[in-house]
Amino acid sequence: MIEFIKADSWGLFEGMPRPWVIAGPCSAESESQVYETAAALKTAGIGIFRAGLWKPRTHPDCFEGVRERGLPWLARVRRELGMHVATEVANARHVEKALEAGIDLLWIGARTTSNPFAIQEIADALRGCATPVLVKNPLTPDLELWTGALERLSLAGVRRLGTVHRGFFAYGQSRYRNLPQWQLPVEIRRRFPDLPVLCDPSHIAGRREYVQELAQQAMDLGFDGLMVESHISPEHALSDAAQQLTPAALQEMLQTLVIRSADTENRHYRESMDELRLRIDAIDDELIDLLASRLEIADRIGEYKRQNNITILQTGRWEKVLERVFARGAERGLDAGFLARLFALIHQASIDRQTQVMHKGK
Ligand code: PEP
Ligand code: MN
């Protein structure tokens, strides 16, 4: 159970069009860098300024943030520019210092969400606190770890809660620094329809040229907002230099985004959608029937193998199946990666059924 107050009454996003945007540098580095970035972001129409003070870095020789020293710089942005300010907290001491300095919004980073001890410590330090808290996804795609963090905060009486999808650690090379696994935030939205879901395209991307496409995907999925890293001089940033945008580039990026609404009253649209959805439902029914038939045949194959004392796994055969599937799939314009994932599941189900048949026969 997660109890939360809808974001419309947080005192942060009221009157702001979607997407709500939180922007600012990965790290606060100096008073002038903070102030100049914030002023340029304000000119670009941004109302909420972010800057990391305590930076969780992989290696001890990396820049680890200016820590408490940056709190008065954020307070100045708040006072002189009238922006709301946000920072990351990772332990009770950070919470205490940030609240004392009047920070408007806190976020919990991916590394911290991965650790229930740290989350509990933060929840205890925040007990009953009215300051909104955004919880980034943990490093691994573990939905329960993510919602568990929200539960700990909720149990401590923190009610202004939201989530940020920042992608997941993936071993090896890929287009992005962190893999977006959109099905996780989408599942959170399904379970808690009014809980704000934001996307941090910067940490998914790892490179500024990918930020726009990820922000657009988040908008297409109906995310409420974006947290984007922006630095007055990205190439000189002390952390995450490759993924930060100048305030002007951020403004341009935001202007390119196509924002779709969740629904419409348009009758023609609704009727066409209803018709297409009925067709999808019918196809899903057919798929279920086909899968059931396929597995029944797998049972029969299992039975023959059992009677003739043959092993279940015959890799040569499976390779032939895949070869056929890929060739046919390509003719129908189906993505090979999608087919590989789908048929891996089907194959596994088939093996499970054959194993059951073998055991039953014993
Ligand atoms: C950050 O927002 O600067 C940050 C460290 O993010 P994450 O926890 O997503 O890596
Ligand atoms: Mn960063």
Side-chain angles (χ1 to χ4, degrees), residues 26 55 203 229 240 243:
C26 178
K55 298 303 300 179
H203 285 91
E229 285 192 341
D240 290 351
Q243 72 195 28

Side-chain angles (χ1 to χ4, degrees), residues 283-304:
I283 291 173
D284 286 347
D285 290 348
E286 273 180 58
L287 281 173
I288 298 282
D289 289 345
L290 288 171
L291 285 170
S293 306
R294 195 185 190 288
L295 288 176
E296 278 158 22
I297 294 180
D299 288 345
R300 285 169 58 190
I301 292 179
E303 183 57 32
Y304 280 127

